Amino acid sequence: QVQLVDSGGGLVQAGGSLRLSCAASGRTFTTAAMGWFRQAPEKEREFVAAITWSGAGTVYADSVKGRFTISGDKGTVNLQMNSLKPEDTAVYYCAASNLNYRSDRYYQTPVKYAYWGQGTQVTVSS
């Protein structure tokens, strides 16, 4: 079992920055990847970014490339979010996967993650 606690959300104006953190505990040595997903009201949960230790590297959704950066290790993963836009408003969730894939595309779907944080709200005002 892996326990995740995510934090760092808040209210920011468009163009601003936020840094989200995810603290992992438990059997973290089994973790192959950690990712961030987000869910806006009445929308499906969507992939944001992932960092892997399975050989797949890091991967980002097209909508956040060049603005967001994921970093960290199996104990703590951060998501630095710059140049925020109103459409980035959502609840952000960190997640951990213990499945090993060489291709990063497998880490872009929620079903590949067994463990989830409680979520942290990010609101970007225009």
Side-chain angles (χ1 to χ4, degrees):
Q1 292 281 350
V2 175
Q3 294 79 42
L4 303 175
V5 177
D6 38 36
S7 62
L11 173 63
V12 65
Q13 288 189 331
S17 299
L18 280 175
R19 184 179 178 88
L20 305 184
S21 292
C22 179
S25 61
R27 297 172 61 88
T28 58
F29 62 90
T30 65
T31 299
M34 291 182 71
W36 286 95
F37 291 77
R38 65 188 182 187
Q39 188 165 17
E42 301 182 358
K43 290 190 176 180
E44 292 188 355
R45 191 166 297 190
E46 66 172 357
F47 171 75
V48 176
I51 182 169
T52 78
W53 297 279
S54 64
T58 57
V59 59
Y60 297 91
D62 288 343
S63 59
V64 307
K65 277 181 184 175
R67 301 189 298 122
F68 291 12
T69 303
I70 190 170
S71 64
D73 55 36
K74 295 184 181 184
T76 302
V77 170
N78 300 307
L79 184 68
Q80 178 67 41
M81 306 186 295
N82 298 328
S83 302
L84 283 162
K85 305 174 181 179
E87 51 263 44
D88 294 319
T89 295
V91 177
Y92 284 69
Y93 298 89
C94 71
S97 173
N98 55 11
L99 302 175
N100 284 281
Y101 299 108
R102 285 300 183 95
S103 173
D104 59 35
R105 64 187 179 98
Y106 294 104
Y107 293 116
Q108 300 180 42
T109 57
V111 295
K112 299 302 184 183
Y113 294 80
Y115 308 104
W116 292 84
Q118 80 283 4
T120 185
Q121 177 71 47
V122 171
T123 303
V124 184
S125 63
S126 57

